[in-house]
Amino acid sequence: MVIDVVGAGSLGLLYGGKLQAAGNAVRLWTRTSEQAEELRLHGLTITEQGEKTKLLPEYVEAYPISELSAHWHHQPGDWLFLMVKQTSIDDVIHNMDTMKEYILNIVCFQNGMGHIEKLQAALPLSRVYRAVTTEGAKRAENGVIRAGEGQTWFGRDVRTRAIEEDTTANLQDLSLQARLQQAGFNCTASNQIDKLIYRKLLINAVINPLTAIWRIPNGELLQNDYRVKVMRHLYDEAVAIYKANEIMLDIDMWEEILSVCRSTASNTSSMLADVVQGRRTEVESISGQMVRMAHRCGLTAPQHELMLYLIEGIRPEGVS
Ligand code: KPL
């Protein structure tokens, strides 16, 4: 099975590396030619609970994303894991411009919302899946360190499944699930992925902007009553927005958010990491999405709007 992993950040390297180590043919697609060359030159090491798995350079296929479509025309892949940030989706779509005629199986791992519609419009024949994962990994020299074992769910959303409900697609889902499990991931093909995506959106909308504004790891949100109060305001506003949009989450999400803060206590949220590195954040597709969902139902979302503006207002202009 040929698996293309687009985006060689920490999660991309973790998935790509483990899938390759389990015997799949993985092609890693990087933002720059230099990163691809580094991978081809030094190979890739995955560290899990102190144990190292080293993929020697001759087993690592890595290329810049600009070469994706040319390779694909020559040798199509079976699955494409899209592991770049929301903020890079437009660039990826641009690089896939000549792949419109193909049926690709694309699994999207992005936080937030809005990208699926863009991808489906750009690649109308393709099957686009959403994935939610609690896997975490950190970059290390020539590789990644896995931060404990997470859970991964993937599936197509209700609208897409309604258009194309065939058994081949279901068998395909099960085969990907098996591949990921063989590679050492706790993975489930889910027919409730929409619900999981909305749950994740709510978690990200409460945790990410606040950690980025206060510059604290996730766990420290719970160390001060004022912080918890602001979290609760964001949460209550989001629940009202979901209710107005008839989105049911079925579980107590407040408890879930507190539990994510505890279980990822020492983590730097992805938004804080972006702010610290001076990169564009995903706030538009997280807090911005909440605001749009509110407006769609004639509501306002002042708390989430404030998060959007505060984060977008951080620009790395400097003070010189
Ligand atoms: O998904 C996350 C992120 O940082 O984007 C959370 C759940 C907040 C974990 O850090």
Side-chain angles (χ1 to χ4, degrees):
M1 179 176 282
V2 178
I3 302 174
D4 289 300
V5 175
V6 177
S10 50
L11 272 190
L13 292 178
L14 178 71
Y15 277 83
K18 284 179 70 64
L19 282 161
Q20 172 78 37
N24 300 285
V26 173
R27 297 185 290 208
L28 292 166
W29 300 96
T30 61
R31 197 166 48 82
T32 63
S33 323
E34 290 77 26
Q35 197 196 351
E37 207 176 304
E38 280 280 302
L39 284 162
R40 290 198 304 264
L41 210 64
H42 300 293
L44 171 60
T45 302
I46 302 142
T47 309
E48 291 179 73
Q49 294 174 337
E51 285 207 7
K52 290 187 189 302
T53 309
K54 179 149 175 68
L55 292 173
L56 296 172
E58 55 269 38
Y59 295 109
V60 177
E61 263 201 84
Y63 312 97
I65 176 83
S66 52
E67 293 177 14
L68 173 68
S69 53
H71 275 259
W72 223 86
H73 294 313
H74 181 64
Q75 189 192 8
D78 297 294
W79 287 92
L80 187 146
F81 285 16
L82 193 50
M83 309 202 75
V84 297
K85 293 238 164 133
Q86 273 278 351
T87 43
S88 301
I89 290 290
D90 290 339
D91 285 346
V92 173
I93 290 178
H94 174 71
N95 280 298
M96 295 170 86
D97 202 33
T98 60
M99 294 162 77
K100 284 190 172 60
E101 312 302 320
Y102 295 106
I103 302 176
L104 290 98
N105 295 304
I106 307 176
V107 189
C108 298
F109 283 79
Q110 288 65 35
N111 274 339
M113 302 187 96
H115 54 297
I116 301 284
E117 294 71 15
K118 278 191 193 172
L119 263 172
Q120 197 70 75
L123 301 161
L125 303 181
S126 293
R127 287 196 195 98
V128 183
Y129 293 72
R130 297 176 192 266
V132 175
T133 185
T134 59
E135 287 288 342
K138 269 199 196 129
R139 293 297 295 276
E141 208 192 340
N142 300 328
V144 278
I145 304 170
R146 187 182 192 185
E149 278 193 21
Q151 271 285 342
T152 303
W153 299 265
F154 73 94
R156 280 167 299 148
D157 65 24
V158 177
R159 273 171 305 148
T160 327
R161 270 187 282 127
I163 296 166
E164 188 215 317
E165 189 60 67
D166 61 67
T167 26
T168 330
N170 290 338
L171 288 175
Q172 253 187 353
D173 297 0
L174 292 178
S175 115
L176 181 64
Q177 173 183 289
R179 292 276 165 169
L180 281 161
Q181 287 172 352
Q182 266 163 21
F185 293 102
N186 301 316
C187 170
T188 315
S190 168
N191 54 14
Q192 300 229 316
I193 198 72
D194 319 62
K195 211 163 262 184
L196 299 177
I197 293 283
Y198 280 116
R199 286 183 194 164
K200 184 82 194 309
L201 178 69
L202 179 46
I203 293 170
N204 288 137
V206 174
I207 296 179
N208 293 26
L210 294 180
T211 52
I213 292 163
W214 287 321
R215 309 223 169 187
I216 51 174
N218 299 347
E220 290 202 11
L221 283 173
L222 308 186
Q223 301 307 314
N224 170 320
D225 288 347
Y226 290 106
R227 294 177 189 161
V228 177
K229 274 190 184 139
V230 183
M231 289 169 71
R232 186 70 206 202
H233 283 308
L234 286 170
Y235 170 78
D236 288 341
E237 190 173 275
V239 167
I241 295 168
Y242 277 17
K243 204 168 165 200
N245 280 276
E246 293 177 17
I247 296 165
M248 310 291 173
L249 297 182
D250 299 347
I251 57 168
D252 181 347
M253 282 305 294
W254 178 244
E255 275 312 311
E256 188 66 21
I257 291 168
L258 300 182
S259 140
V260 170
C261 288
R262 287 185 207 108
S263 64
T264 63
S266 61
N267 281 24
T268 299
S269 76
S270 53
M271 199 171 287
L272 173 56
D274 286 341
V275 165
V276 169
Q277 301 288 324
R279 293 186 296 246
R280 266 188 68 203
T281 71
E282 297 178 313
V283 72
E284 168 55 35
S285 54
I286 298 176
S287 311
Q289 177 67 21
M290 284 291 179
V291 174
R292 281 189 293 278
M293 283 166 62
H295 291 172
R296 262 205 313 259
C297 297
L299 297 179
T300 57
Q303 316 275 343
H304 290 279
E305 200 161 38
L306 182 60
M307 293 300 115
L308 174 65
Y309 295 166
L310 285 174
I311 297 291
E312 290 289 40
I314 305 173
R315 291 270 178 223
E317 293 99 342
V319 287
S320 60

